[in-house]
Amino acid sequence: MEKIKVLVPLDGTERSMHSLNWLKKFLSKDDVSITIMNVMEIVLTSDMMVPMPIPNEFDYLSEASELFLDTAIKELEGYEVEKFSILGYAGDEILKKAEKGSYDIIVMTKCSKKGLYRILGSVTSKVVRNAKVPVTVIPN
């Protein structure tokens, strides 16, 4: 039997790790192949004309992303896990990875932000609206 391919976006916060707890509770180690991903975002202000990451900042983000993903892999001991890290806009990169990797499902933790951020939309809502596969949203 072919394993279910699961994409799990993690944003580097403890809250996003709730997705891993859900996976361990509901999906068997023998039935799934998991890719955990982290999108490193650099927020640009309006006075920055050309969007270019500063090399030292990118190195720091890359190291932090790798460390966080390694911690997540330890949480999924016994599961088949691949890690993926990329620089970009989270919603766009998650959707690209899900489609290119032919994943069967995306599992992600809901954003807990309120107010103006919620009105403007979140990464989770963008993924839910645009994904071509089922998305399971885990409350935090």
Side-chain angles (χ1 to χ4, degrees), residues 119-130:
I119 293 169
L120 295 175
S122 70
V123 172
T124 305
S125 62
K126 180 173 185 161
V127 171
V128 168
R129 283 191 317 269
N130 297 290

Side-chain angles (χ1 to χ4, degrees), residues 7-73:
L7 180 62
V8 183
L10 301 171
D11 66 7
T13 63
E14 185 64 33
R15 174 191 49 77
S16 68
M17 299 290 270
H18 291 293
S19 299
L20 305 182
N21 296 331
W22 184 89
L23 279 169
K24 291 189 294 187
K25 185 174 181 179
F26 291 104
L27 299 174
S28 166
K29 296 174 185 180
D30 299 326
D31 296 335
V32 295
S33 170
I34 301 168
T35 299
I36 54 174
M37 80 177 285
N38 177 253
V39 180
M40 299 170 287
E41 291 188 303
I42 296 178
V43 178
L44 302 175
T45 60
S46 60
D47 61 331
M48 299 172 98
M49 299 303 281
V50 179
M52 290 179 27
I54 301 166
N56 289 342
E57 185 175 344
F58 178 74
D59 290 344
Y60 169 77
L61 287 173
S62 183
E63 289 172 17
S65 178
E66 287 294 313
L67 185 63
F68 182 75
L69 292 176
D70 288 342
T71 300
I73 286 174

